[in-house]
Amino acid sequence: MEKKTNQTIFSIFTLLLLFASSVSAQLRTGFYQNSCPNVESIVRNAVRQKFQQTFVTAPATLRLFFHDCFVRGCDASIMIASPSERDHPDDMSLAGDGFDTVVKAKQAVDRDPRCRNKVSCADILALATREVVVLTGGPSYPVELGRRDGRLSTKASVQNNLPQPGFNLNQLNAMFNRHGLSQTDMIALSGAHTLGFAHCGKFSNRIYNFSPRTRIDPSLNSGYALQLRQMCPQRVDPRIAINMDPTSPRTFDNAYFKNLQQGKGLFTSDQVLFTDQRSRATVNSFANSETAFRQAFISAITKLGRVGVMTGNAGEIRRDCSRVN
């Protein structure tokens, strides 16, 4: 009887330990308040400096964060130099200015003796993402911190883990749901397409070869389709890129959703959010209310920042974001 009681007490104790470790492993704001109290202002200043040099800093950093979190979780594995995730075709179009933003911010953090080698590249990327949203007129929000950097980065791990321009609503939902993100989260995060650009090859089928019956995708606004044909003639240089938001491409706003209402979503995966009845109401809500979009975006990007994170003693704090220690 005594043996059984001892086993029960031991089991409860073990469970309590596991629970305590999982709670302590949660991300939190103010994670660096003792080890690097100025980390947020240091990153903010570094990102501002980079943004003043080139606007591409904003969309490039946002996209980098998304690509990082959807493959192996938010662990800065996307930052590791080749051979790595960066060799996959889905990541080869990531603009160099996003990587450079993180590198510059990391260097700035490490120049502070209190902070040197204490702040992960994964956390710096999360903070930099918030800063570029703010710099382009978007909402500020608290960033949870405490991520560790991953030690693995492979080309193979990217395969089938990032949404594609031709995805329908079911495919989008399935991929986002895998990471604990709802349809509303997915639509709010898609709103980040209010910034940035896409290469012609990513949507050329919608304006030239949609189907044997119709060359142009009927869900695409016909005037917009003709504009796109002018900007992306057939056999165009594959490096040519087009703004994803034709109305206010340098402002983080709800114009993306207003564009969808007019048939001006650049990718099939954009326009389907309006053409599919199951998601149209959310698009209309965000188009009608900038506040509704901002609130949903803050919730969604906070949840995105928790995907697959390593905390505690897992992973490492990379000294150089482009290589494991």
Side-chain angles (χ1 to χ4, degrees), residues 36-49:
C36 181
N38 298 326
V39 64
E40 298 204 19
S41 59
I42 296 171
V43 171
R44 181 174 300 123
N45 291 334
V47 174
R48 266 188 196 155
Q49 213 171 344

Side-chain angles (χ1 to χ4, degrees), residues 40 49 51 139 142 182 185 189 199 218 221 228 247 269 271 318:
E40 298 204 19
Q49 213 171 344
F51 181 75
S182 67
D185 295 328
L189 290 168
H199 293 94
N221 177 295
L228 291 174
T247 52
S269 58
Q271 195 57 49
R318 241 177 267 153

